[in-house]
Amino acid sequence: MTSILQPRECKVTKKPQKSYGFYLRIEKDTAGHLIRNVEKNSPAEKAGLKDGDRVLRVNGVFVDKEEHAQVVEIVKNSGNSVVLLVLDDASYQKAEKEGVNLEELGQKASTGQQQEQQSPPPMANGAITAVPQPQLCYLVKEENGYGFSLKTTEGQKGLFIVELSSQGAAAKAGVQNNDRLIEINGKNVENDTHEEVVKKVKKSENHVMFLLSNEETDRYYTSQKMVLSKESASLRLLPLKPRLIEIQKGKNGYGFYLRMEQNTGDHVIKDVDSGSSAAKAGLKDNDILVAVNGEQVDGLDHESVVGKIKHSEAKTTLLVVDKETDAMYKLAQISPFSYYYKAPDPTPAKMEERAELHTEQKVNHKPRICKMVKGPSGFGFSLNMIKNKPGLFINEVRNHGPADTAGVENNDFLVEVNGVNVMNESYDKVVARIQDSGDRLTLLVCSKDAYKYFQGQNIPITASMAD
């Protein structure tokens, strides 16, 4: 009966910084990890992937029963080539109905790929864990410098971070003791001397971008014969994020102008009409356009970009950065598009859909806007932090106090104070913001589970996600 169930092995190979051309999704009332939105002439289509296919194995590893986020992570970290063993929609449903063992079904087809694997993805208690990644860290110099030293280790390539100051600039950026330095401002320094590296850090003045690896990441990349580079790096520690803005077309269009800067080639947002759909969606003057409806605009002429926006009938989705965020990504020598390329479902609608799926599992991943007025004893909560870990969380919420009444809960993570993102600010600076806010305070907070979820998916937490 199972002879007609024939999984297909599809090897999908893409160009660096480009997309595979499909989405990997989970959907309400539908089993399995689904292939969706296969783009025409994309690497996915050329490899034979079809809409509705279910992924059984990734690079030879059976994933049908794994958490979706873990499967996405394996695909993301597979570099520029991934081998997917898939089953078409009708066959998958038939297999589910008849109780077919999908792991056995796919074993023969995937044998060759398993032999190619140098080592399987990391395991913890028998479950697949996230593949180790190098980290990009953006350091902003303080009065006492960056707060670390460098050392060489005999027999090992590169320089290592030591003597990390727990409250220094490096620690705040996510740098860890014994991290190995791979790149400075987008340039490889593994073969540089101690003196050359120090000189490059000093030359970078008040901001520097590090690409770092640790022992676990080095071991994994060596076993896979993969090269450590910024293209495979995690961006979750970067403090400035691109913004994904969905704009509904109004009677007079979208309500902004686009201008191409001749000296840089950047497509810059200008003259955002107050009250327009663009303004309401959060678009700002001087924002730099990165992508339109998921397509990069870098290198395109003005008319082509305007055409892409006009081609959108009822709405358009823009990926933009402000000048500060643009400068940070240029320092790393990567495109801000990488941030959303690395996130599995890059449109607001899909974020909401994923949140709804998790809500069904009694987990609410939506942040909350909490507005409060100071009482006789203050706002009725305390702030706390864990040493050497980013983020501030709330505790000691007083029963029936202003914070409690506004919906703040113990162990909530603090995201914004009065509309300003404070996730990478120091404890003292955030406390000062709250004290300076007078009698009225607006906080954007999220639960501990929501914080972990959004960080793990590389999704920036914004007020627009709240109910």
Side-chain angles (χ1 to χ4, degrees):
M1 190 177 290
T2 62
S3 60
I4 61 165
L5 301 178
Q6 296 182 339
R8 308 183 325 273
E9 191 170 86
C10 302
K11 183 171 183 178
V12 193
T13 303
K14 66 176 184 65
K15 292 179 180 177
Q17 294 297 308
K18 298 293 182 183
S19 136
Y20 284 120
F22 72 93
Y23 286 143
L24 188 59
R25 300 260 300 272
I26 48 172
E27 294 176 357
K28 203 151 81 170
D29 302 324
T30 306
H33 306 284
L34 285 122
I35 300 291
R36 289 294 192 207
N37 297 51
V38 178
E39 296 170 15
K40 197 168 182 179
N41 297 320
S42 66
E45 187 189 57
K46 290 173 182 175
L49 288 179
K50 299 186 187 310
D51 191 76
D53 281 345
R54 304 303 202 285
V55 176
L56 302 183
R57 291 178 181 269
V58 179
N59 296 336
V61 177
F62 185 70
V63 297
D64 183 62
K65 302 302 179 189
E66 295 296 337
E67 288 289 326
H68 185 66
Q70 292 174 341
V71 181
V72 170
E73 195 72 17
I74 297 168
V75 175
K76 277 187 347 186
N77 291 298
S78 189
N80 295 319
S81 187
V82 65
V83 178
L84 303 178
L85 186 73
V86 299
L87 196 60
D88 67 87
D89 182 37
S91 298
Y92 187 88
Q93 290 188 45
K94 181 178 174 65
E96 285 276 299
K97 189 176 178 181
E98 295 177 356
V100 174
N101 186 324
L102 292 172
E103 187 168 7
E104 287 181 4
L105 179 69
Q107 272 178 344
K108 288 183 182 178
S110 65
T111 302
Q113 171 60 21
Q114 282 180 313
Q115 287 173 349
E116 287 177 23
Q117 289 284 97
Q118 295 301 314
S119 66
M123 306 286 281
N125 299 321
I128 297 171
T129 61
V131 171
Q133 289 176 274
Q135 298 278 357
L136 276 169
C137 295
Y138 181 59
L139 287 66
V140 181
K141 197 173 189 178
E142 297 180 347
E143 283 184 21
N144 297 324
Y146 286 114
F148 70 92
S149 297
L150 290 166
K151 72 161 188 175
T152 54
T153 301
E154 193 175 343
Q156 290 184 278
K157 195 176 181 181
L159 293 167
F160 292 80
I161 303 288
V162 292
E163 297 175 17
L164 192 69
S165 169
S166 61
Q167 296 298 315
K172 289 174 184 174
V175 179
Q176 302 279 330
N177 266 318
N178 298 314
D179 276 349
R180 187 170 69 86
L181 188 54
I182 301 165
E183 291 183 5
I184 294 176
N185 297 340
K187 298 288 178 67
N188 191 284
V189 296
E190 289 177 284
N191 295 313
D192 287 14
T193 65
H194 185 281
E195 186 181 3
E196 286 170 336
V197 170
V198 170
K199 190 176 179 181
K200 285 178 181 177
V201 173
K202 286 181 178 176
K203 189 179 178 182
S204 192
E205 296 181 344
N206 295 324
H207 304 84
V208 68
M209 184 73 74
F210 283 174
L211 178 66
L212 299 161
S213 181
N214 58 24
E215 188 179 354
E216 181 189 10
T217 306
D218 278 343
R219 189 164 55 244
Y220 178 76
Y221 272 71
T222 301
S223 74
Q224 297 292 300
K225 297 182 179 176
M226 293 164 64
V227 178
L228 284 160
S229 70
K230 52 184 167 286
E231 283 75 27
S232 58
S234 167
L235 311 180
R236 68 181 182 83
L237 295 174
L238 296 184
L240 305 173
K241 319 289 185 191
R243 300 177 349 260
L244 198 64
I245 296 177
E246 188 176 276
I247 310 172
Q248 302 291 331
K249 188 180 277 187
K251 290 180 181 178
N252 300 316
Y254 290 113
F256 68 92
Y257 287 95
L258 190 67
R259 189 173 77 199
M260 186 172 179
E261 299 286 358
Q262 294 303 315
N263 58 333
T264 62
D266 290 336
H267 301 279
V268 182
I269 305 295
K270 292 291 182 183
D271 301 325
V272 178
D273 296 337
S274 59
S276 68
S277 54
K280 288 173 184 173
L283 198 64
K284 296 174 184 176
D285 276 4
N286 299 316
D287 276 343
I288 297 165
L289 185 60
V290 178
V292 177
N293 299 325
E295 293 184 48
Q296 275 185 278
V297 299
D298 187 37
L300 297 182
D301 60 35
H302 179 71
E303 287 73 22
S304 299
V305 179
V306 170
K308 285 183 182 294
I309 296 170
K310 284 184 175 177
H311 186 68
S312 309
E313 293 180 5
K315 65 180 181 181
T316 190
T317 302
L318 306 180
L319 181 65
V320 299
V321 290
D322 58 29
K323 286 188 175 180
E324 189 182 2
T325 307
D326 182 59
M328 183 193 74
Y329 275 86
K330 280 178 176 163
L331 194 62
Q333 296 189 22
I334 57 171
S335 167
F337 186 71
S338 304
Y339 187 90
Y340 280 95
Y341 161 67
K342 285 173 182 288
D345 286 342
T347 68
K350 291 185 176 67
M351 287 180 197
E352 289 163 11
E353 183 174 330
R354 185 185 291 143
E356 287 165 11
L357 285 166
H358 282 268
T359 302
E360 288 182 354
Q361 298 164 17
K362 299 185 179 178
V363 178
N364 184 5
H365 283 322
K366 289 187 177 180
R368 308 185 310 281
I369 298 171
C370 303
K371 298 181 179 181
M372 62 200 82
V373 178
K374 188 184 283 185
S377 304
F379 290 113
F381 69 91
S382 297
L383 270 183
N384 211 333
M385 66 180 292
I386 298 172
K387 192 175 180 182
N388 294 337
K389 289 200 173 182
L392 296 166
F393 61 93
I394 288 168
N395 60 6
E396 298 177 23
V397 177
R398 196 170 65 249
N399 280 340
H400 309 300
D404 183 32
T405 306
V408 178
E409 298 176 5
N410 279 319
N411 297 316
D412 274 346
F413 271 80
L414 182 58
V415 181
E416 291 182 3
V417 174
N418 296 329
V420 178
N421 190 295
V422 297
M423 289 177 68
N424 291 291
E425 289 191 353
S426 68
Y427 176 86
D428 292 339
K429 192 169 182 179
V430 177
V431 169
R433 278 191 189 280
I434 294 170
Q435 290 173 343
D436 292 344
S437 67
D439 291 336
R440 293 180 180 274
L441 179 65
T442 301
L443 303 181
L444 182 67
V445 299
C446 66
S447 68
K448 187 176 180 181
D449 285 340
Y451 177 82
K452 284 182 178 177
Y453 170 76
F454 286 122
Q455 291 287 302
Q457 296 296 322
N458 277 339
I459 298 172
I461 308 170
T462 63
S464 63
M465 295 175 176
D467 290 324

